[in-house]
Amino acid sequence: MKAAIILSSLFVLAACGETRQDRAGIGSDKPAVAGTGVAVYTDPGWKAGDKAGWSNHLKARAQYGQNDHARAPK
């Protein structure tokens, strides 16, 4: 019984630890304009690294796709 309590308390304390965050090369340090490199996730006609095209797409998406005031019936 005593061994089970010690083992379960070690398991609970191990869950409180913090994971290392110094791993390099996870890809989050690349700008969004760089793209993913996978054609399925890329709009047709857009090329990776096209900053002006990326900006225009985000502006159009914000205005027409995500702006509830523009989509609301009048």
Side-chain angles (χ1 to χ4, degrees), residues 1-24:
M1 180 72 173
K2 191 174 185 180
I5 292 172
I6 292 172
L7 186 62
S8 64
S9 63
L10 286 176
F11 181 70
V12 168
L13 287 176
C16 294
E18 185 174 344
T19 59
R20 294 182 58 188
Q21 298 178 0
D22 59 351
R23 293 180 292 172

Side-chain angles (χ1 to χ4, degrees), residues 3-74:
I5 292 172
I6 292 172
L7 186 62
S8 64
S9 63
L10 286 176
F11 181 70
V12 168
L13 287 176
C16 294
E18 185 174 344
T19 59
R20 294 182 58 188
Q21 298 178 0
D22 59 351
R23 293 180 292 172
I26 57 173
S28 65
D29 55 346
K30 293 188 292 186
V33 177
T36 60
V38 181
V40 177
Y41 302 118
T42 306
D43 274 347
W46 181 78
K47 295 179 183 171
D50 182 13
K51 193 170 185 175
W54 179 266
S55 178
N56 290 336
H57 179 76
L58 286 181
K59 286 179 188 175
R61 182 175 148 193
Q63 182 61 36
Y64 302 114
Q66 296 179 342
N67 188 350
D68 290 337
H69 296 289
R71 295 188 313 171
K74 296 179 181 184

